[in-house]
Amino acid sequence: MPHPVMFDEDDPYLVRLRRVALAFPDAEEQIAHGRPGFRAGKCFAWYGGSTKGSADSRVRYDQALLVLPDESDRAALAEDPRCFVPAYLAPYGWVGLDLAAGGTTAPDEVDWQEVAELLDASYRQVAGARRVAALDERGGPAG
């Protein structure tokens, strides 16, 4: 049985995120587990997520970005109130960033440069040497 779709195609956060994520070499979007994922061979970002727990205790973040940050950035992200520990992916080093900051940040108020930098770090960890070389050669959204 397929997962139910857990996002809105017209979500303004997702529309902006797509523009940034799909600007990386060979990046493509694929829906899995009811949510959009961005891949370049392997997945480097997910849109939407939740914390782990029972249905009555977990917190959903429908306008969130899930990334695999650089090790050097993990401590700072852990202190950021917009960040959360995503279910299933956290043991592998992934972090969630609530783009809407609990409903207090509109899409135009998001620091999209910060988002591009987080995507860049995540992309570099999974994309492979050829794609990373292409990114370095032509520049990317974080440049």
Side-chain angles (χ1 to χ4, degrees):
M1 182 167 104
H3 283 81
V5 173
M6 295 185 278
F7 68 98
D8 178 0
E9 282 289 335
D10 298 325
D11 178 336
Y13 297 92
L14 177 56
V15 170
R16 293 282 298 265
L17 179 62
R18 274 187 179 124
R19 272 189 240 140
V20 180
L22 294 175
F24 288 89
D26 299 328
E28 56 188 23
E29 182 177 346
Q30 182 177 23
I31 308 303
H33 307 287
R35 298 200 179 271
F38 299 94
R39 324 176 51 82
K42 295 180 182 179
C43 195
F44 67 93
W46 288 97
Y47 182 70
S50 68
T51 59
K52 195 168 183 174
S54 63
D56 59 332
S57 67
R58 75 175 158 252
V59 178
R60 281 184 56 166
Y61 293 93
D62 291 329
Q63 282 91 24
L65 168 64
L66 278 57
V67 293
L68 185 58
D70 284 331
E71 183 66 37
S72 62
D73 293 332
R74 289 185 207 283
L77 290 169
E79 296 296 319
D80 190 322
R82 300 169 301 161
C83 292
F84 63 97
V85 177
Y88 309 110
L89 296 173
Y92 304 99
W94 289 68
V95 172
L97 172 68
D98 181 10
L99 298 172
T104 63
T105 303
D108 290 339
E109 297 170 329
V110 171
D111 183 347
W112 291 103
Q113 181 61 38
E114 175 188 37
V115 168
E117 291 168 7
L118 289 168
L119 287 168
D120 185 270
S122 193
Y123 179 91
R124 288 174 183 280
Q125 292 190 61
V126 304
R130 181 185 58 79
R131 289 183 176 113
V132 170
L135 176 63
D136 289 339
E137 182 179 310
R138 76 175 200 203

CSV table of all heavy atoms in Angstrom, one decimal, residues 60-99:
chain,number,residue,atom,x,y,z
A,60,ARG,N,4.8,17.0,13.9
A,60,ARG,CA,4.9,17.0,12.5
A,60,ARG,C,5.5,18.4,12.1
A,60,ARG,O,5.1,19.4,12.7
A,60,ARG,CB,3.6,16.8,11.8
A,60,ARG,CG,3.2,15.4,11.7
A,60,ARG,CD,2.0,15.1,10.9
A,60,ARG,NE,2.1,15.7,9.5
A,60,ARG,CZ,1.2,15.4,8.6
A,60,ARG,NH1,0.2,14.6,8.8
A,60,ARG,NH2,1.3,16.0,7.4
A,61,TYR,N,6.3,18.4,11.1
A,61,TYR,CA,6.9,19.7,10.6
A,61,TYR,C,6.7,19.6,9.1
A,61,TYR,O,7.5,19.1,8.3
A,61,TYR,CB,8.4,19.8,10.9
A,61,TYR,CG,8.7,20.0,12.4
A,61,TYR,CD1,8.9,18.9,13.2
A,61,TYR,CD2,8.7,21.3,12.9
A,61,TYR,CE1,9.2,19.1,14.5
A,61,TYR,CE2,8.9,21.4,14.3
A,61,TYR,CZ,9.2,20.4,15.1
A,61,TYR,OH,9.5,20.5,16.4
A,62,ASP,N,5.5,20.1,8.6
A,62,ASP,CA,5.2,19.9,7.2
A,62,ASP,C,6.0,20.8,6.3
A,62,ASP,O,6.2,20.6,5.1
A,62,ASP,CB,3.7,20.1,7.0
A,62,ASP,CG,2.9,19.0,7.6
A,62,ASP,OD1,3.4,17.8,7.6
A,62,ASP,OD2,1.8,19.2,8.0
A,63,GLN,N,6.5,22.0,6.8
A,63,GLN,CA,7.4,22.9,6.0
A,63,GLN,C,8.8,22.8,6.5
A,63,GLN,O,9.4,23.8,6.9
A,63,GLN,CB,6.8,24.3,6.1
A,63,GLN,CG,5.7,24.6,5.2
A,63,GLN,CD,4.3,24.3,5.9
A,63,GLN,OE1,4.2,24.4,7.1
A,63,GLN,NE2,3.3,24.1,5.1
A,64,ALA,N,9.3,21.6,6.5
A,64,ALA,CA,10.7,21.5,7.1
A,64,ALA,C,11.6,20.9,6.0
A,64,ALA,O,11.2,20.3,5.0
A,64,ALA,CB,10.7,20.5,8.2
A,65,LEU,N,12.9,21.2,6.1
A,65,LEU,CA,13.9,20.7,5.3
A,65,LEU,C,14.8,19.7,6.1
A,65,LEU,O,15.2,20.1,7.2
A,65,LEU,CB,14.8,21.8,4.8
A,65,LEU,CG,16.2,21.5,4.1
A,65,LEU,CD1,15.9,20.7,2.8
A,65,LEU,CD2,17.0,22.7,3.9
A,66,LEU,N,15.0,18.5,5.6
A,66,LEU,CA,15.8,17.5,6.3
A,66,LEU,C,17.1,17.4,5.5
A,66,LEU,O,17.0,17.1,4.3
A,66,LEU,CB,15.1,16.2,6.4
A,66,LEU,CG,14.1,16.0,7.6
A,66,LEU,CD1,13.0,17.0,7.6
A,66,LEU,CD2,13.5,14.6,7.6
A,67,VAL,N,18.2,17.6,6.2
A,67,VAL,CA,19.5,17.5,5.5
A,67,VAL,C,20.5,16.7,6.3
A,67,VAL,O,20.3,16.5,7.5
A,67,VAL,CB,20.1,18.9,5.2
A,67,VAL,CG1,19.3,19.7,4.2
A,67,VAL,CG2,20.2,19.7,6.5
A,68,LEU,N,21.6,16.4,5.7
A,68,LEU,CA,22.7,15.7,6.3
A,68,LEU,C,23.8,16.8,6.4
A,68,LEU,O,24.6,17.0,5.5
A,68,LEU,CB,23.2,14.5,5.5
A,68,LEU,CG,24.3,13.7,6.1
A,68,LEU,CD1,23.9,13.1,7.4
A,68,LEU,CD2,24.6,12.5,5.1
A,69,PRO,N,23.9,17.5,7.5
A,69,PRO,CA,24.9,18.6,7.6
A,69,PRO,C,26.3,18.2,7.9
A,69,PRO,O,26.6,17.0,8.2
A,69,PRO,CB,24.4,19.4,8.8
A,69,PRO,CG,23.7,18.4,9.7
A,69,PRO,CD,23.1,17.4,8.8
A,70,ASP,N,27.2,19.1,7.6
A,70,ASP,CA,28.6,18.8,8.0
A,70,ASP,C,28.7,18.6,9.5
A,70,ASP,O,28.0,19.2,10.3
A,70,ASP,CB,29.5,20.1,7.7
A,70,ASP,CG,29.8,20.2,6.2
A,70,ASP,OD1,29.9,19.2,5.5
A,70,ASP,OD2,30.0,21.3,5.8
A,71,GLU,N,29.6,17.7,9.9
A,71,GLU,CA,29.9,17.4,11.3
A,71,GLU,C,30.1,18.7,12.1
A,71,GLU,O,29.7,18.9,13.2
A,71,GLU,CB,31.0,16.4,11.4
A,71,GLU,CG,31.3,16.0,12.8
A,71,GLU,CD,30.1,15.2,13.4
A,71,GLU,OE1,29.5,14.4,12.7
A,71,GLU,OE2,29.9,15.4,14.7
A,72,SER,N,30.9,19.6,11.5
A,72,SER,CA,31.2,20.9,12.2
A,72,SER,C,30.1,21.8,12.4
A,72,SER,O,30.1,22.7,13.3
A,72,SER,CB,32.3,21.6,11.3
A,72,SER,OG,31.8,22.0,10.1
A,73,ASP,N,28.9,21.6,11.7
A,73,ASP,CA,27.7,22.4,11.9
A,73,ASP,C,26.7,21.8,12.8
A,73,ASP,O,25.7,22.5,13.2
A,73,ASP,CB,27.1,22.7,10.6
A,73,ASP,CG,27.9,23.5,9.6
A,73,ASP,OD1,28.7,24.3,10.2
A,73,ASP,OD2,27.8,23.4,8.4
A,74,ARG,N,26.9,20.6,13.2
A,74,ARG,CA,25.8,19.9,14.0
A,74,ARG,C,25.6,20.5,15.3
A,74,ARG,O,24.4,20.7,15.7
A,74,ARG,CB,26.2,18.4,14.2
A,74,ARG,CG,26.1,17.6,13.0
A,74,ARG,CD,26.4,16.1,13.3
A,74,ARG,NE,26.9,15.5,12.1
A,74,ARG,CZ,26.2,15.1,11.1
A,74,ARG,NH1,24.9,15.3,11.1
A,74,ARG,NH2,26.8,14.5,10.1
A,75,ALA,N,26.6,20.9,16.1
A,75,ALA,CA,26.4,21.5,17.4
A,75,ALA,C,25.6,22.8,17.3
A,75,ALA,O,24.6,23.0,18.1
A,75,ALA,CB,27.7,21.8,18.1
A,76,ALA,N,25.9,23.7,16.3
A,76,ALA,CA,25.2,24.9,16.2
A,76,ALA,C,23.7,24.7,15.8
A,76,ALA,O,22.8,25.3,16.3
A,76,ALA,CB,25.9,25.8,15.1
A,77,LEU,N,23.5,23.7,14.9
A,77,LEU,CA,22.1,23.4,14.5
A,77,LEU,C,21.3,22.8,15.7
A,77,LEU,O,20.2,23.1,15.8
A,77,LEU,CB,22.2,22.4,13.3
A,77,LEU,CG,22.6,23.0,12.0
A,77,LEU,CD1,22.9,21.9,10.9
A,77,LEU,CD2,21.7,24.0,11.5
A,78,ALA,N,22.0,22.0,16.5
A,78,ALA,CA,21.3,21.4,17.7
A,78,ALA,C,20.8,22.5,18.6
A,78,ALA,O,19.8,22.3,19.3
A,78,ALA,CB,22.2,20.5,18.4
A,79,GLU,N,21.5,23.7,18.6
A,79,GLU,CA,21.1,24.8,19.5
A,79,GLU,C,20.1,25.7,18.9
A,79,GLU,O,19.4,26.5,19.6
A,79,GLU,CB,22.3,25.6,19.9
A,79,GLU,CG,23.4,24.9,20.7
A,79,GLU,CD,22.9,24.4,22.0
A,79,GLU,OE1,22.2,25.2,22.7
A,79,GLU,OE2,23.2,23.3,22.4
A,80,ASP,N,19.9,25.6,17.6
A,80,ASP,CA,18.9,26.4,16.9
A,80,ASP,C,17.5,26.0,17.2
A,80,ASP,O,17.1,24.8,16.9
A,80,ASP,CB,19.2,26.3,15.4
A,80,ASP,CG,18.4,27.3,14.5
A,80,ASP,OD1,17.3,27.6,14.8
A,80,ASP,OD2,19.0,27.8,13.5
A,81,PRO,N,16.6,26.9,17.7
A,81,PRO,CA,15.3,26.5,18.0
A,81,PRO,C,14.4,26.0,16.8
A,81,PRO,O,13.4,25.4,17.0
A,81,PRO,CB,14.7,27.7,18.7
A,81,PRO,CG,15.5,28.8,18.3
A,81,PRO,CD,16.9,28.3,18.0
A,82,ARG,N,14.8,26.4,15.6
A,82,ARG,CA,14.1,25.9,14.4
A,82,ARG,C,14.4,24.5,14.0
A,82,ARG,O,13.7,23.9,13.2
A,82,ARG,CB,14.5,26.8,13.2
A,82,ARG,CG,14.2,28.3,13.4
A,82,ARG,CD,14.8,29.1,12.3
A,82,ARG,NE,16.3,28.9,12.3
A,82,ARG,CZ,17.1,29.1,11.3
A,82,ARG,NH1,16.6,29.6,10.1
A,82,ARG,NH2,18.4,28.9,11.4
A,83,CYS,N,15.4,23.9,14.6
A,83,CYS,CA,15.9,22.6,14.3
A,83,CYS,C,15.3,21.5,15.2
A,83,CYS,O,15.0,21.8,16.3
A,83,CYS,CB,17.4,22.5,14.3
A,83,CYS,SG,18.2,23.5,13.0
A,84,PHE,N,15.2,20.3,14.6
A,84,PHE,CA,14.6,19.2,15.4
A,84,PHE,C,15.3,17.9,14.9
A,84,PHE,O,16.0,17.9,13.9
A,84,PHE,CB,13.1,19.1,15.2
A,84,PHE,CG,12.7,18.8,13.8
A,84,PHE,CD1,12.4,17.5,13.4
A,84,PHE,CD2,12.5,19.9,12.8
A,84,PHE,CE1,12.0,17.3,12.1
A,84,PHE,CE2,12.1,19.6,11.5
A,84,PHE,CZ,11.8,18.3,11.1
A,85,VAL,N,15.1,16.9,15.7
A,85,VAL,CA,15.7,15.6,15.5
A,85,VAL,C,14.6,14.8,14.7
A,85,VAL,O,13.6,14.4,15.2
A,85,VAL,CB,16.0,14.9,16.8
A,85,VAL,CG1,16.6,13.5,16.6
A,85,VAL,CG2,17.0,15.7,17.6
A,86,PRO,N,14.9,14.5,13.4
A,86,PRO,CA,13.9,13.9,12.6
A,86,PRO,C,13.8,12.4,12.8
A,86,PRO,O,14.8,11.7,13.1
A,86,PRO,CB,14.3,14.2,11.2
A,86,PRO,CG,15.8,14.3,11.3
A,86,PRO,CD,16.1,14.9,12.6
A,87,ALA,N,12.6,11.9,12.8
A,87,ALA,CA,12.4,10.4,13.0
A,87,ALA,C,13.1,9.7,11.9
A,87,ALA,O,13.3,10.2,10.7
A,87,ALA,CB,10.9,10.1,12.9
A,88,TYR,N,13.6,8.5,12.2
A,88,TYR,CA,14.3,7.6,11.3
A,88,TYR,C,15.6,8.0,10.8
A,88,TYR,O,16.5,7.2,10.6
A,88,TYR,CB,13.3,7.2,10.2
A,88,TYR,CG,12.0,6.7,10.6
A,88,TYR,CD1,10.8,7.5,10.4
A,88,TYR,CD2,11.8,5.6,11.4
A,88,TYR,CE1,9.6,7.2,10.9
A,88,TYR,CE2,10.6,5.2,11.9
A,88,TYR,CZ,9.5,6.0,11.6
A,88,TYR,OH,8.2,5.6,12.1
A,89,LEU,N,15.8,9.3,10.4
A,89,LEU,CA,17.0,9.7,9.8
A,89,LEU,C,18.1,10.2,10.8
A,89,LEU,O,19.3,10.3,10.5
A,89,LEU,CB,16.8,10.8,8.8
A,89,LEU,CG,15.9,10.3,7.6
A,89,LEU,CD1,15.5,11.5,6.7
A,89,LEU,CD2,16.6,9.3,6.8
A,90,ALA,N,17.6,10.7,12.0
A,90,ALA,CA,18.6,11.2,13.0
A,90,ALA,C,19.7,10.3,13.3
A,90,ALA,O,20.9,10.8,13.4
A,90,ALA,CB,17.8,11.6,14.2
A,91,PRO,N,19.5,9.0,13.5
A,91,PRO,CA,20.7,8.2,13.8
A,91,PRO,C,21.8,8.2,12.8
A,91,PRO,O,22.9,7.8,13.0
A,91,PRO,CB,20.1,6.8,14.0
A,91,PRO,CG,18.6,7.0,14.3
A,91,PRO,CD,18.3,8.3,13.5
A,92,TYR,N,21.4,8.6,11.6
A,92,TYR,CA,22.4,8.7,10.5
A,92,TYR,C,23.0,10.1,10.3
A,92,TYR,O,23.7,10.3,9.3
A,92,TYR,CB,21.8,8.2,9.2
A,92,TYR,CG,21.2,6.8,9.3
A,92,TYR,CD1,19.8,6.6,9.5
A,92,TYR,CD2,22.0,5.7,9.3
A,92,TYR,CE1,19.3,5.4,9.7
A,92,TYR,CE2,21.5,4.4,9.5
A,92,TYR,CZ,20.1,4.3,9.7
A,92,TYR,OH,19.6,3.0,9.9
A,93,GLY,N,22.7,11.0,11.2
A,93,GLY,CA,23.3,12.3,11.2
A,93,GLY,C,22.4,13.4,10.6
A,93,GLY,O,22.8,14.6,10.6
A,94,TRP,N,21.2,13.1,10.2
A,94,TRP,CA,20.3,14.1,9.6
A,94,TRP,C,19.7,15.0,10.6
A,94,TRP,O,19.5,14.6,11.8
A,94,TRP,CB,19.2,13.4,8.8
A,94,TRP,CG,19.7,12.7,7.6
A,94,TRP,CD1,20.5,11.6,7.5
A,94,TRP,CD2,19.4,13.1,6.2
A,94,TRP,NE1,20.7,11.3,6.2
A,94,TRP,CE2,20.1,12.1,5.4
A,94,TRP,CE3,18.6,14.1,5.6
A,94,TRP,CZ2,20.0,12.2,4.0
A,94,TRP,CZ3,18.6,14.1,4.3
A,94,TRP,CH2,19.3,13.2,3.4
A,95,VAL,N,19.4,16.2,10.2
A,95,VAL,CA,18.8,17.2,11.0
A,95,VAL,C,17.6,17.9,10.3
A,95,VAL,O,17.7,18.0,9.1
A,95,VAL,CB,19.8,18.3,11.4
A,95,VAL,CG1,19.2,19.5,12.1
A,95,VAL,CG2,21.0,17.8,12.2
A,96,GLY,N,16.6,18.2,11.0
A,96,GLY,CA,15.4,18.9,10.4
A,96,GLY,C,15.5,20.4,10.7
A,96,GLY,O,15.8,20.8,11.9
A,97,LEU,N,15.1,21.2,9.8
A,97,LEU,CA,15.0,22.7,9.9
A,97,LEU,C,13.6,23.1,9.6
A,97,LEU,O,13.2,22.9,8.4
A,97,LEU,CB,16.0,23.4,9.0
A,97,LEU,CG,15.9,24.9,9.0
A,97,LEU,CD1,16.3,25.5,10.3
A,97,LEU,CD2,16.8,25.5,7.8
A,98,ASP,N,12.9,23.6,10.6
A,98,ASP,CA,11.5,24.0,10.3
A,98,ASP,C,11.6,25.4,9.6
A,98,ASP,O,11.8,26.4,10.2
A,98,ASP,CB,10.8,24.2,11.7
A,98,ASP,CG,9.3,24.6,11.5
A,98,ASP,OD1,8.8,24.6,10.4
A,98,ASP,OD2,8.7,24.9,12.6
A,99,LEU,N,11.3,25.4,8.3
A,99,LEU,CA,11.4,26.6,7.5
A,99,LEU,C,10.4,27.6,8.0
A,99,LEU,O,10.7,28.8,7.9
A,99,LEU,CB,11.2,26.2,6.0
A,99,LEU,CG,12.3,25.3,5.4
A,99,LEU,CD1,11.8,24.9,4.0
A,99,LEU,CD2,13.6,26.0,5.4
